[in-house]
Short mmCIF file of all heavy atoms in Angstrom, two decimals:
data_model
loop_
_atom_site.label_atom_id
_atom_site.label_comp_id
_atom_site.label_asym_id
_atom_site.label_seq_id
_atom_site.Cartn_x
_atom_site.Cartn_y
_atom_site.Cartn_z
N ARG N 74 132.33 152.72 110.64
CA ARG N 74 132.11 154.01 111.11
C ARG N 74 131.96 155.04 109.96
O ARG N 74 131.69 156.27 110.26
CB ARG N 74 133.21 154.51 112.11
CG ARG N 74 133.13 153.67 113.33
CD ARG N 74 134.37 154.03 114.21
NE ARG N 74 134.54 153.19 115.28
CZ ARG N 74 134.57 153.61 116.52
NH1 ARG N 74 134.44 154.88 116.79
NH2 ARG N 74 134.69 152.74 117.52
N GLY N 75 132.17 154.67 108.81
CA GLY N 75 132.05 155.56 107.60
C GLY N 75 133.25 156.34 107.28
O GLY N 75 133.08 157.44 106.52
N ARG N 76 134.39 155.94 107.69
CA ARG N 76 135.59 156.64 107.30
C ARG N 76 136.02 156.33 105.82
O ARG N 76 136.33 155.21 105.52
CB ARG N 76 136.73 156.33 108.27
CG ARG N 76 136.42 156.43 109.70
CD ARG N 76 136.16 157.87 110.09
NE ARG N 76 136.24 158.09 111.60
CZ ARG N 76 135.24 157.94 112.37
NH1 ARG N 76 134.01 157.65 111.90
NH2 ARG N 76 135.34 158.11 113.70
N THR N 77 136.08 157.44 105.06
CA THR N 77 136.44 157.28 103.60
C THR N 77 137.84 156.77 103.48
O THR N 77 138.13 155.93 102.62
CB THR N 77 136.18 158.52 102.85
OG1 THR N 77 134.84 158.98 103.06
CG2 THR N 77 136.43 158.35 101.40
N TRP N 78 138.75 157.22 104.33
CA TRP N 78 140.18 156.78 104.19
C TRP N 78 140.29 155.31 104.47
O TRP N 78 141.06 154.60 103.72
CB TRP N 78 141.05 157.57 105.10
CG TRP N 78 140.78 157.28 106.65
CD1 TRP N 78 140.02 157.94 107.48
CD2 TRP N 78 141.31 156.25 107.38
NE1 TRP N 78 140.01 157.39 108.72
CE2 TRP N 78 140.83 156.28 108.68
CE3 TRP N 78 142.18 155.12 107.12
CZ2 TRP N 78 141.12 155.38 109.75
CZ3 TRP N 78 142.59 154.28 108.08
CH2 TRP N 78 141.98 154.39 109.43
N ALA N 79 139.46 154.76 105.36
CA ALA N 79 139.50 153.33 105.65
C ALA N 79 138.93 152.53 104.52
O ALA N 79 139.43 151.42 104.21
CB ALA N 79 138.74 153.02 106.98
N TRP N 80 137.88 153.04 103.90
CA TRP N 80 137.22 152.31 102.78
C TRP N 80 138.30 152.29 101.54
O TRP N 80 138.43 151.24 101.01
CB TRP N 80 136.07 153.09 102.30
CG TRP N 80 135.38 152.59 101.08
CD1 TRP N 80 134.68 151.40 100.94
CD2 TRP N 80 135.19 153.25 99.77
NE1 TRP N 80 134.24 151.30 99.69
CE2 TRP N 80 134.46 152.40 98.97
CE3 TRP N 80 135.54 154.51 99.34
CZ2 TRP N 80 134.18 152.79 97.71
CZ3 TRP N 80 135.22 154.88 98.09
CH2 TRP N 80 134.53 154.05 97.25
N ILE N 81 138.94 153.37 101.33
CA ILE N 81 139.96 153.43 100.22
C ILE N 81 141.12 152.47 100.58
O ILE N 81 141.62 151.68 99.70
CB ILE N 81 140.42 154.83 99.94
CG1 ILE N 81 139.29 155.71 99.36
CG2 ILE N 81 141.68 154.85 98.95
CD1 ILE N 81 139.56 157.10 99.31
N THR N 82 141.61 152.53 101.80
CA THR N 82 142.68 151.69 102.21
C THR N 82 142.27 150.16 102.11
O THR N 82 143.11 149.37 101.66
CB THR N 82 143.09 152.05 103.64
OG1 THR N 82 143.42 153.45 103.65
CG2 THR N 82 144.42 151.23 104.07
N GLY N 83 141.05 149.94 102.51
CA GLY N 83 140.63 148.57 102.40
C GLY N 83 140.50 148.05 101.02
O GLY N 83 140.87 146.90 100.73
N LEU N 84 140.02 148.91 100.14
CA LEU N 84 139.99 148.51 98.66
C LEU N 84 141.47 148.29 98.15
O LEU N 84 141.56 147.54 97.15
CB LEU N 84 139.26 149.57 97.90
CG LEU N 84 137.78 149.66 98.16
CD1 LEU N 84 137.13 150.84 97.33
CD2 LEU N 84 136.94 148.35 97.92
N VAL N 85 142.39 149.00 98.60
CA VAL N 85 143.81 148.81 98.18
C VAL N 85 144.33 147.50 98.74
O VAL N 85 145.07 146.75 98.10
CB VAL N 85 144.59 149.97 98.48
CG1 VAL N 85 146.10 149.71 98.30
CG2 VAL N 85 144.18 151.24 97.63
N MET N 86 144.03 147.22 100.06
CA MET N 86 144.68 146.12 100.76
C MET N 86 144.06 144.78 100.48
O MET N 86 144.67 143.77 100.53
CB MET N 86 144.65 146.38 102.30
CG MET N 86 145.58 147.50 102.64
SD MET N 86 145.71 147.82 104.42
CE MET N 86 146.73 146.43 104.78
N LEU N 87 142.77 144.78 100.15
CA LEU N 87 142.13 143.48 99.88
C LEU N 87 142.63 142.69 98.81
O LEU N 87 142.83 141.42 98.93
CB LEU N 87 140.57 143.73 99.69
CG LEU N 87 139.79 143.89 100.97
CD1 LEU N 87 138.35 144.34 100.74
CD2 LEU N 87 139.79 142.58 101.80
N PRO N 88 143.03 143.24 97.60
CA PRO N 88 143.70 142.41 96.68
C PRO N 88 145.04 141.83 97.18
O PRO N 88 145.31 140.64 96.80
CB PRO N 88 144.08 143.41 95.49
CG PRO N 88 143.04 144.42 95.62
CD PRO N 88 142.78 144.58 97.16
N PHE N 89 145.80 142.49 98.01
CA PHE N 89 147.07 141.90 98.60
C PHE N 89 146.64 140.77 99.54
O PHE N 89 147.30 139.77 99.67
CB PHE N 89 147.86 143.03 99.35
CG PHE N 89 148.42 143.96 98.39
CD1 PHE N 89 148.02 145.30 98.39
CD2 PHE N 89 149.43 143.58 97.48
CE1 PHE N 89 148.57 146.20 97.50
CE2 PHE N 89 149.97 144.50 96.61
CZ PHE N 89 149.57 145.84 96.61
N THR N 90 145.57 140.94 100.23
CA THR N 90 145.10 139.91 101.12
C THR N 90 144.60 138.68 100.41
O THR N 90 144.89 137.51 100.82
CB THR N 90 143.85 140.48 101.95
OG1 THR N 90 144.30 141.66 102.69
CG2 THR N 90 143.42 139.45 103.01
#
Side-chain angles (χ1 to χ4, degrees):
R74 293 174 188 238
R76 307 295 196 268
T77 304
W78 67 266
W80 177 65
I81 293 169
T82 305
L84 291 178
V85 169
M86 291 185 76
L87 278 169
F89 292 111
T90 305

